[in-house]
Amino acid sequence: MRTVVCAEPGYMALEHRDPPRCGKGEALLRIRRIGVCGTDIHAYGGNQPYFSYPRVLGHELAGEIIEVGSEGDPKLIGQRAYVIPYLHCGQCRACRKGHSNCCQRIQVIGVHRDGGMCDTLAVPLNHLVVSETLELDQLALVECMAIGAHAVRRSGLVQDELAIVTGAGPIGMGVAQFARECGARVVVIDTNAERLAFCRDKLGIEMTLNPSEDDINAALKALSDDEFADVAFDATGSPAAMQAGFDLLGQAGRYVLVSIVKADISFHDPDFHRKELTLIASRNATRADFDHVTHLMESGRLKVDAMITHRAELADVPEQMPAWCTPATGVVKAMIEISDTPRLFIQRSSS
């Protein structure tokens, strides 16, 4: 089968590998869609924690079940499904307490083990979710949206609170939509004017701010009667922005770091204590978050289709990846497609 491998930072290659076998408790998924997310882009750039090379990227996955192993229901064959890529042990303290998203021995498909940039992938049956309603594009976006759902759930956000989302990438767009689902007043902050326009025009986020053009402090004071935000979410992947986010919060505010970076994040302790802030990390998502996203997608309450701005076939990924990593190309979400009759791949002899 065809496989795209990130051999080292900045270099991807198309290879031919033997297809996987379907083991006990597993299913074979014919991959049809692969969403490219910030984790993939940071891994390609060499900036992703928990990562080693070579690695097959891809964890936003959708496809068709073509085989089930022993203990599997044959009726699943032919069904469309998405993948929950967080393989947890089920035994550590985090798992026992329902926090499978931060399992002590977690193996994330496409991060700790090879992912779905390939024609076929073996996946544990209990990490496949079938939907008869959602299209393949939508199925491939469930994981991305679940990250935002988990972050908002962690925040405890409630109706009429002021929520600031810094970073208007796909994750931030998901956070903003789930914050709005809570009935919060949502402000999105980003330096990219095109992405802010996308949030307004495509997602219906009415309040956006650009630090390059707007006085952020003055705007937040006006929106909050000089009390600033109740909750701030960072989805920038920028250490400087993550540190600046502490200043967006008012008394008893909650700060949710959705981004993860290879850096130390610091804050001014007297201000942190004076406001009695709460700092929250948000990692991955749980099955409850995936179910919540699936329900909202099936009911049409999430706007996800417009997020897909670029597409490519699997064989073209090594050529397209550098452009997808360049902000000037205007990528919001790139989607890799694998057709029913993929382009023939001929392995060249090394001799």
Side-chain angles (χ1 to χ4, degrees):
M1 69 174 182
R2 302 172 308 160
T3 305
V4 173
V5 182
C6 187
E8 60 186 48
Y11 177 69
M12 302 185 85
L14 183 65
E15 298 181 356
H16 184 75
R17 295 184 176 184
D18 292 333
R21 296 180 179 272
C22 187
K24 180 180 178 181
E26 292 184 328
L28 285 185
L29 189 70
R30 177 181 288 125
I31 303 297
R32 298 293 302 278
R33 297 288 190 277
I34 308 149
V36 178
C37 84
T39 296
D40 301 317
I41 290 172
H42 291 153
Y44 179 77
N47 302 312
Q48 177 62 25
Y50 319 130
F51 208 84
S52 62
Y53 303 85
R55 179 67 67 221
V56 180
L57 305 181
H59 60 274
E60 297 181 1
L61 307 173
E64 298 163 352
I65 298 172
I66 58 174
E67 183 181 343
V68 293
S70 58
E71 302 181 358
D73 185 354
K75 293 181 181 178
L76 291 172
I77 296 175
Q79 300 261 16
R80 293 192 304 254
Y82 67 79
V83 176
I84 298 178
Y86 317 124
L87 307 183
H88 59 286
C89 72
Q91 299 174 349
C92 70
R93 180 174 64 183
C95 288
R96 294 195 307 269
K97 297 180 72 173
H99 300 288
S100 58
N101 58 298
C102 60
C103 166
Q104 188 174 349
R105 291 176 281 276
I106 197 168
Q107 292 282 296
V108 180
I109 294 172
V111 177
H112 304 97
R113 61 168 64 188
D114 283 347
M117 289 191 185
C118 56
D119 287 316
T120 310
L121 186 69
V123 180
L125 279 164
N126 60 354
H127 283 259
L128 282 174
V129 181
V130 170
S131 173
E132 297 180 357
T133 304
L134 300 180
E135 300 296 330
L136 287 167
D137 282 350
Q138 295 172 311
L139 290 170
L141 291 173
V142 172
E143 191 275 343
C144 172
M145 298 300 288
I147 299 293
H150 184 73
V152 172
R153 182 162 65 90
R154 290 271 289 153
S155 75
L157 187 67
V158 297
Q159 186 169 342
D160 294 329
E161 285 191 310
L162 179 61
I164 308 299
V165 182
T166 307
I171 298 297
M173 291 178 185
V175 171
Q177 291 192 68
F178 285 104
R180 185 173 57 188
E181 278 289 317
C182 292
R185 295 178 295 140
V186 181
V187 180
V188 176
I189 299 176
D190 201 290
T191 57
N192 188 318
E194 291 183 357
R195 289 204 170 186
L196 292 179
F198 186 96
C199 288
R200 294 191 301 269
D201 300 339
K202 301 296 185 181
L203 304 182
I205 304 298
E206 296 181 358
M207 293 183 285
T208 62
L209 295 171
N210 187 333
S212 301
E213 303 172 355
D214 302 312
D215 185 331
I216 303 298
N217 279 356
L220 293 184
K221 285 182 178 181
L223 287 169
S224 65
D225 292 330
D226 205 20
E227 293 184 336
F228 287 84
D230 297 288
V231 181
F233 300 88
D234 182 274
T236 64
S238 164
M242 294 166 78
Q243 292 188 183
F246 289 91
D247 295 332
L248 304 177
L249 290 158
Q251 305 301 116
R254 291 100 71 196
Y255 191 18
V256 185
L257 297 182
V258 193
S259 298
I260 180 169
V261 294
K262 283 185 175 180
D264 293 330
I265 306 300
S266 62
F267 54 85
H268 185 59
D269 190 57
D271 283 346
F272 185 80
H273 274 80
R274 176 177 59 81
K275 295 180 181 179
E276 198 180 46
L277 300 181
T278 300
L279 180 61
I280 303 170
S282 181
R283 186 184 182 194
N284 302 326
T286 67
R287 178 58 186 263
D289 301 310
F290 279 89
D291 290 343
H292 183 46
V293 171
T294 303
H295 170 70
L296 291 181
M297 275 194 181
E298 290 178 341
S299 63
R301 288 162 61 186
L302 292 181
K303 299 179 180 180
V304 296
D305 295 341
M307 292 169 59
I308 303 173
T309 55
H310 293 67
R311 295 180 184 270
E313 211 277 339
L314 182 66
D316 297 325
V317 171
E319 179 183 354
Q320 293 295 323
M321 195 70 174
W324 291 343
C325 296
T326 304
T329 59
V331 176
V332 176
K333 171 65 68 175
M335 184 66 70
I336 301 167
E337 299 182 346
I338 301 181
S339 63
D340 290 324
T341 54
R343 188 188 313 166
L344 177 64
F345 171 66
I346 300 175
Q347 188 175 25
R348 292 178 171 83
S349 171
S350 59
S351 59

